[in-house]
Amino acid sequence: MTDGWRAVAAPPALRPGDAHVWRVRLDAADELPALRALLSDDERARMDRFHRPADRVRFGVAHGWLRRVLAAYLDAAPSALAFGVGEHGKPFLRDAALEFNLSHSGDLALVAVAAHGPVGVDVERWDRAVECLELAERFFSPAELGALHALREDDARVVEGFFATWSRKEAYLKATGHGITRGLRHFDVPFAPGGAAALVADRLDVEATGRWAITGLAAAPGYSAALVAAAPLRALNLLEPPATGWGSR
């Protein structure tokens, strides 16, 4: 499992083969007015449709920091960034080749950035009320389901194993741009905890195993997260904004 987050006031150099993942805390209501001002009219409308104030804060902080992070790489104004949406719903930058992906769950957001090819990132807060084995029966491949069933005598390990596998599967679908509508049972991700690994199998795309690198991320206690990037992944930087001084160079 990859750990080692460091606070930086501006992005380091992003070289071919690199991926950067930014961790952002979402329980920051005091930041919301400044971050809301960076959003597009459509993003503000989406934010305001949330009924719970905490959900509005999480959405506004996540999407505001997405703009801040991407703008820092592009030397642009955060509010000036223009996004489009791909055929299966994956957002992209209209006027830049920078690849990115956003995921948020609970009080955390992760922003993945790369220059050499698509990326997908996913973070999941553990929910012990989830019927993990029942959901795995519906969505996991036979190999993944068998590995999870091997843990069934230990409820805590079942929860951790389920969310670790789910985050890797989501990150893979987001990286490919297909989204969850393509299904989750036709491919296998590494089940065992650990850092960088290859895709195990994709029965709809047999050559995919050589094109993608999967990395489990230690986002925070009680969370599972994963990054999927175009292979080979030369270097991974785990970053987060500092408490003060963002944007200084």
Side-chain angles (χ1 to χ4, degrees):
M1 192 72 66
T2 300
D3 203 346
W5 302 86
R6 59 190 178 95
V8 295
L14 183 64
R15 298 166 295 183
D18 290 0
H20 295 176
V21 180
W22 293 82
R23 179 175 64 178
V24 178
R25 305 284 178 176
L26 300 182
D27 52 349
D30 57 322
E31 289 192 87
L32 188 60
L35 292 167
R36 179 186 168 88
L38 305 179
L39 303 181
S40 67
D41 291 342
D42 177 67
E43 288 168 328
R44 282 191 285 267
R46 289 170 60 196
M47 172 183 157
D48 292 340
R49 284 197 289 269
F50 287 100
H51 294 293
R52 297 177 64 246
D55 293 333
R56 291 196 292 272
V57 170
R58 291 178 181 126
F59 181 93
V61 174
H63 287 262
W65 268 109
L66 171 67
R67 286 179 169 271
R68 277 184 175 173
V69 167
L70 296 180
Y73 285 94
L74 300 170
D75 195 23
S79 60
L81 299 182
F83 296 95
V85 179
E87 179 183 359
H88 300 287
K90 185 178 182 180
F92 64 89
L93 284 165
R94 290 193 179 277
D95 302 316
L98 192 67
E99 298 279 354
F100 75 92
N101 199 226
L102 167 69
S103 178
H104 55 91
S105 179
D107 290 326
L108 284 182
L110 298 181
V111 177
V113 184
H116 69 291
V119 288
V121 71
D122 190 64
V123 59
E124 301 288 341
R125 183 174 61 180
W126 301 350
D127 183 351
R128 298 184 185 279
V130 167
E131 296 291 340
C132 295
L133 291 173
E134 180 179 322
L135 282 176
E137 292 275 359
R138 295 174 56 195
F139 296 113
F140 282 13
S141 71
E144 294 161 347
L145 180 60
L148 191 65
H149 268 289
L151 307 176
R152 63 184 178 273
E153 301 302 323
D154 187 330
D155 290 345
R157 293 185 68 199
V158 167
V159 170
E160 183 176 1
F162 172 82
F163 284 104
T165 305
W166 187 273
S167 68
R168 294 172 188 188
K169 294 177 80 67
E170 284 270 16
Y172 176 63
L173 291 176
K174 294 172 76 177
T176 63
H178 291 294
I180 201 168
T181 56
R182 189 175 185 240
L184 289 90
R185 293 174 58 87
H186 65 272
F187 64 95
D188 306 332
V189 297
F191 184 85
L199 178 70
V200 176
D202 186 332
R203 286 167 288 282
L204 299 182
D205 182 359
V206 295
E207 296 180 354
T209 53
R211 296 202 307 270
W212 300 104
I214 299 179
T215 305
L217 306 173
Y223 288 79
S224 293
L227 171 76
V228 175
L233 180 59
R234 190 181 65 84
L236 173 61
N237 281 279
L238 302 178
L239 310 165
E240 56 189 358
T244 60
W246 170 257
S248 60
R249 294 182 181 275

